[in-house]
Amino acid sequence: MSMRFYMPVRLIIGEGSVRSGAAELGKLGRRCLIVTGRTSAKASGALDDACAALKDAGIEYAIFDQVTQNPYLSTCLRAAEKALEMKAEFILGIGGGSPLDAAKAIGVLAANPGLDGPGLYKGGWKNPSLPVAVIGTTSGTGSEVTQYAVITDDLDTGNKKGIAAPDGFVTLAFGDPRYTHGLSYGFTVSTALDALTHAVEAYFNKLATPLTDMFALSAIRDVAHTLRDIKGKDPADITVAQRETLYIASIYAGIVIAHNRTSYCHALGYFLTEQHNVPHGMACAVLLPHFIRRSAKLNPQRAEQLTEAIGMDTEALCQLVIELTDAPSATLTSEQMAEMAGRFSESANFKVAYGNFGYDEAVAVLTELFGG
Amino acid sequence: MSMRFYMPVRLIIGEGSVRSGAAELGKLGRRCLIVTGRTSAKASGALDDACAALKDAGIEYAIFDQVTQNPYLSTCLRAAEKALEMKAEFILGIGGGSPLDAAKAIGVLAANPGLDGPGLYKGGWKNPSLPVAVIGTTSGTGSEVTQYAVITDDLDTGNKKGIAAPDGFVTLAFGDPRYTHGLSYGFTVSTALDALTHAVEAYFNKLATPLTDMFALSAIRDVAHTLRDIKGKDPADITVAQRETLYIASIYAGIVIAHNRTSYCHALGYFLTEQHNVPHGMACAVLLPHFIRRSAKLNPQRAEQLTEAIGMDTEALCQLVIELTDAPSATLTSEQMAEMAGRFSESANFKVAYGNFGYDEAVAVLTELFGG
């Protein structure tokens, strides 16, 4: 048995954690660029808390609030320019996966003036990233605790692409489940399905260890039962405890993909987001039942262990995902399938799946799901 | 609910992990002082693997092999001198808790020439520690993943004292359960009881969170069942899988005390080691049944959760500990009890226990157990 663990983020979760954590922010520098999307950082209350905490710590700051869903490289380059102009000593990303991933990319770009898109994606840049702190406001991405940042390369292919930073963890992550209280039903479900997909993909995974299993099974259990309980509810009736459970599960799920990576639900679902504007979690969920059934067939012992740990069998889990999935039906031509399968055929997403999941099987999955 | 997590150690566990991790050692520097005890690093095979890995990575090294059980401050000062002489860029501690704790102290002393005992214990030294890597060879201490180093102050009081390093984690920790295969029955049990005490003290603890519970319950379950299975066995009959289970549980238990600290079993057991030469794990185990019973009484709900998670109730756990405890009976005078209780009455060890565990209750516990 072989087992690695590395998750160097200082994680501070709880009501009021941002205000009470001002001293931790003060250790990162005296000048900060805040990176957010257009609305959620404000609407959640996280931005106000962050500004107050920075003031408490005597830190000067400016706000860059132009990060979109599936953040663009061009946006990150503009933000990095702003960071350089204000001589930012650290970056504070606030929001869901998009501003958090963008903050990571901006930290690298600001520390390496002149670095361009190809350089960013390639990795091996000269200077380490500026310190990055983040405040999560959704219960899905897990970006708070992963080394990954997925940035859409709008200056070249238009595809979503991970930047290559093996040690790209943030320094400090705050999570306050209150920030998720105002999220809509659809958004709550989609982000929870993202977290569920992370945990399931990292559980049925060639790199899984007892340690990642512990986090993954806890996350799968908590998300699955919470999703079952909130299905069809008015979002105002989702309790504080349920919001908290979903937030913590998203962090656990992030910790497992930091070690085991995501698998083919993520890869083969990208086109639904890129071309059909399907929210990321829903895009993953479209693929998830296939992934669960295939994995359970190839490793029935692991499926049994999952059933025992979460109190729900794999088929019930699939049915739950199917009932919650709300994505427009999409079809792909043979050429598109070949392109999708080819794009990921050498990726880690395929390699960590059980068996020998490669080009041919990817085409078969796409045909089954999107063959029209 | 409020939850913090911080464990920045890069952890590499598994058969052959030291040899295969040479590249990670290479990132720490070009000159290394190896710090070990007199025998176990050699006997376990860990020292040979380490030397081979350092050679693979082209790193010059020297060996300081004079660390004793309950390592002395004076020893650490001598080793730091040696590190300075050879211009060591990092320290590699190999062994159980003693060499690992010593390596942490030596890293600080070598980075701060002129720092003396009082300065070391007080903390707030000028330069950060040299990078420290460790190779664990016992399944007890968890020092691989904690920020703690307990060094006996032989230049002053002769007491065991923690050095004050809130961020005193090592950079890199290797664990290869093969190194524990040759340990005697008594040593295996004593170190396992140390790990069990860590996990139990951090579970019945005011600072416990769902995240520390997850690690603690897994460790308690695995150590308790393994101890029950190996009780009275010839150590040669302890299986590789059992050794591995104990090693990983000791790491999980270390992760929880890194967050929640240890409690009064540790504090009130110190005198058994200091004055009666009782191995550390056994000294803790003498106090553990009292701790479990008191905690279960004050928080029956947590006791039930433990019973459900480990498949053994708290009284069965106490009985198992009692059956395995092999320590000479010791008595204390009233003056000695007052001194012991006073020494820790303001310590975190007491504060994290349920209720208001203070001077009076400590004297009562000592009277019950050592009143003669």
Side-chain angles (χ1 to χ4, degrees):
Chain A
M1 211 266 298
S2 170
M3 187 160 105
R4 287 183 174 232
F5 189 77
Y6 183 57
M7 207 294 287
V9 179
R10 188 181 295 277
L11 194 59
I12 306 180
I13 297 176
E15 201 167 307
S17 58
V18 173
R19 287 303 297 276
S20 65
E24 295 294 340
L25 285 166
K27 293 176 189 165
L28 303 185
R30 309 316 304 159
R31 303 175 62 82
C32 168
L33 180 66
I34 298 177
V35 171
T36 75
R38 287 178 207 273
T39 55
S40 74
K42 289 185 202 76
S44 65
L47 183 60
D48 283 348
D49 284 349
C51 292
L54 291 168
K55 274 181 202 146
D56 288 348
I59 296 166
E60 279 184 58
Y61 63 86
I63 300 173
F64 180 91
D65 64 0
Q66 293 159 48
V67 178
T68 58
Q69 287 288 312
N70 311 301
Y72 294 123
L73 173 60
S74 60
T75 312
C76 296
L77 286 163
R78 271 190 294 128
E81 246 174 69
K82 184 158 178 171
L84 283 168
E85 275 166 29
M86 72 166 290
K87 299 190 171 59
E89 292 172 5
F90 70 101
I91 308 293
L92 173 59
I94 308 177
S98 300
L100 269 44
D101 283 12
K104 293 179 191 178
I106 294 161
V108 172
L109 291 166
N112 293 277
L115 189 69
D116 60 4
L120 178 72
Y121 288 115
K122 194 177 161 202
W125 39 78
K126 192 174 154 213
N127 303 315
S129 170
L130 294 189
V132 178
V134 295
I135 303 175
T137 64
T138 67
S139 302
T141 170
S143 180
E144 295 93 326
V145 290
T146 72
Q147 66 277 54
Y148 310 128
V150 177
I151 305 294
T152 299
D153 187 1
D154 61 331
L155 302 182
D156 185 14
T157 58
N159 286 344
K160 292 175 73 163
K161 272 160 71 176
I163 72 171
D167 284 359
F169 291 95
V170 303
T171 304
L172 180 61
F174 295 98
D176 185 335
R178 283 183 312 170
Y179 301 146
T180 70
H181 288 185
L183 299 178
S184 70
Y185 176 77
F187 198 85
T188 302
V189 170
S190 172
T191 47
L193 287 170
D194 186 21
L196 181 66
T197 306
H198 290 161
V200 171
E201 285 184 314
Y203 174 75
F204 288 123
N205 186 300
K206 284 182 189 162
L207 302 178
T209 68
L211 214 167
T212 59
D213 284 355
M214 191 167 76
F215 281 102
L217 291 172
S218 176
I220 296 169
R221 183 192 63 218
D222 287 350
V223 176
H225 288 276
T226 306
L227 278 174
R228 203 178 51 185
D229 294 342
I230 69 173
K231 188 157 63 95
K233 273 203 177 166
D234 187 310
D237 294 335
I238 301 174
T239 66
V240 172
Q242 286 169 329
R243 294 283 189 191
E244 186 171 271
T245 299
L246 289 175
Y247 186 73
I248 291 170
S250 78
I251 294 295
Y252 288 9
I255 290 171
V256 282
I257 61 168
H259 290 86
N260 299 357
R261 313 195 65 111
T262 56
S263 190
Y264 69 77
C265 303
H266 271 72
L268 298 181
Y270 274 179
F271 89 97
L272 291 167
T273 302
E274 289 164 353
Q275 295 164 28
H276 300 272
N277 216 20
V278 175
H280 173 66
M282 282 296 170
C284 292
V286 171
L287 278 296
L288 187 56
H290 183 283
F291 180 84
I292 293 172
R293 287 171 181 150
R294 176 181 182 278
S295 302
K297 203 166 162 186
L298 288 173
N299 199 332
Q301 201 187 335
R302 297 274 292 170
E304 267 172 48
Q305 181 183 307
L306 181 137
T307 298
E308 194 179 328
I310 74 166
M312 190 186 290
D313 70 26
T314 51
E315 196 43 43
L317 187 59
C318 289
Q319 286 305 325
L320 178 67
V321 172
I322 291 164
E323 286 163 23
L324 289 162
T325 302
D326 177 24
S329 65
T331 55
L332 289 172
T333 63
S334 308
E335 290 72 26
Q336 287 171 319
M337 291 184 204
E339 194 268 326
M340 288 291 298
R343 178 172 155 198
F344 296 104
S345 63
E346 294 305 314
S347 72
N349 303 79
F350 282 13
K351 287 186 183 134
V352 297
Y354 291 153
N356 292 304
F357 192 89
Y359 179 91
D360 291 343
E361 202 170 350
V363 170
V365 173
L366 292 169
T367 306
E368 186 181 329
L369 294 175
F370 309 110
Chain B
M1 210 266 297
S2 170
M3 188 160 105
R4 289 183 174 232
F5 189 77
Y6 183 57
M7 209 292 287
V9 180
R10 188 181 295 276
L11 195 59
I12 306 179
I13 297 175
E15 201 167 309
S17 57
V18 173
R19 288 303 297 276
S20 65
E24 295 294 340
L25 286 167
K27 293 176 189 166
L28 303 186
R30 310 315 305 157
R31 302 176 64 82
C32 168
L33 180 67
I34 298 177
V35 171
T36 75
R38 289 178 206 272
T39 55
S40 74
K42 288 185 203 76
S44 65
L47 183 62
D48 283 349
D49 284 349
C51 293
L54 291 168
K55 273 181 202 145
D56 287 348
I59 297 166
E60 280 184 58
Y61 64 86
I63 300 173
F64 180 91
D65 64 0
Q66 293 159 48
V67 178
T68 56
Q69 286 289 312
N70 311 301
Y72 293 124
L73 173 61
S74 60
T75 312
C76 295
L77 286 163
R78 272 191 292 128
E81 245 174 73
K82 183 156 178 173
L84 283 169
E85 275 166 28
M86 71 166 292
K87 299 190 171 61
E89 292 172 5
F90 70 101
I91 308 293
L92 173 58
I94 308 178
S98 300
L100 269 44
D101 283 12
K104 294 179 190 177
I106 294 160
V108 173
L109 291 167
N112 292 277
L115 190 69
D116 60 4
L120 178 72
Y121 288 116
K122 194 177 161 202
W125 38 79
K126 192 175 156 212
N127 303 316
S129 170
L130 295 189
V132 178
V134 295
I135 303 175
T137 63
T138 67
S139 302
T141 169
S143 180
E144 295 92 326
V145 290
T146 73
Q147 66 278 54
Y148 310 127
V150 177
I151 304 295
T152 298
D153 187 1
D154 61 330
L155 302 182
D156 185 14
T157 59
N159 285 346
K160 291 175 73 162
K161 272 161 71 177
I163 71 171
D167 284 0
F169 292 96
V170 304
T171 303
L172 179 62
F174 296 98
D176 185 335
R178 282 183 312 169
Y179 301 146
T180 69
H181 287 185
L183 298 179
S184 70
Y185 176 77
F187 198 85
T188 302
V189 170
S190 172
T191 47
L193 286 170
D194 185 21
L196 181 66
T197 306
H198 290 161
V200 171
E201 286 185 314
Y203 174 75
F204 288 124
N205 186 300
K206 285 183 188 161
L207 302 178
T209 67
L211 214 167
T212 59
D213 284 354
M214 190 168 77
F215 281 102
L217 291 172
S218 175
I220 296 169
R221 183 193 62 220
D222 287 350
V223 176
H225 288 277
T226 306
L227 278 174
R228 204 179 50 186
D229 294 343
I230 69 174
K231 188 157 64 94
K233 274 202 177 169
D234 187 311
D237 293 334
I238 301 174
T239 66
V240 173
Q242 286 169 329
R243 294 282 190 190
E244 186 171 271
T245 299
L246 289 175
Y247 186 74
I248 291 170
S250 77
I251 294 297
Y252 288 9
I255 290 172
V256 283
I257 60 167
H259 290 87
N260 299 356
R261 314 193 64 110
T262 56
S263 192
Y264 69 77
C265 302
H266 271 72
L268 298 181
Y270 275 180
F271 88 95
L272 291 167
T273 302
E274 290 163 355
Q275 295 163 29
H276 300 272
N277 217 20
V278 176
H280 173 66
M282 281 298 169
C284 292
V286 171
L287 279 296
L288 188 55
H290 184 283
F291 179 84
I292 294 172
R293 287 170 181 151
R294 176 182 183 277
S295 302
K297 203 166 162 185
L298 289 173
N299 199 332
Q301 202 186 335
R302 297 274 294 169
E304 267 171 48
Q305 180 183 308
L306 180 136
T307 297
E308 194 179 328
I310 74 165
M312 189 186 290
D313 69 25
T314 51
E315 197 44 43
L317 188 59
C318 289
Q319 286 306 324
L320 178 67
V321 172
I322 291 164
E323 287 163 21
L324 289 162
T325 301
D326 176 25
S329 64
T331 56
L332 289 172
T333 64
S334 309
E335 289 71 26
Q336 286 171 320
M337 290 183 204
E339 194 268 326
M340 288 294 295
R343 177 171 157 199
F344 296 103
S345 64
E346 294 305 314
S347 72
N349 303 78
F350 282 13
K351 287 187 181 132
V352 297
Y354 290 153
N356 292 303
F357 192 90
Y359 178 89
D360 290 343
E361 203 171 348
V363 169
V365 173
L366 292 169
T367 306
E368 186 181 329
L369 294 175
F370 310 110

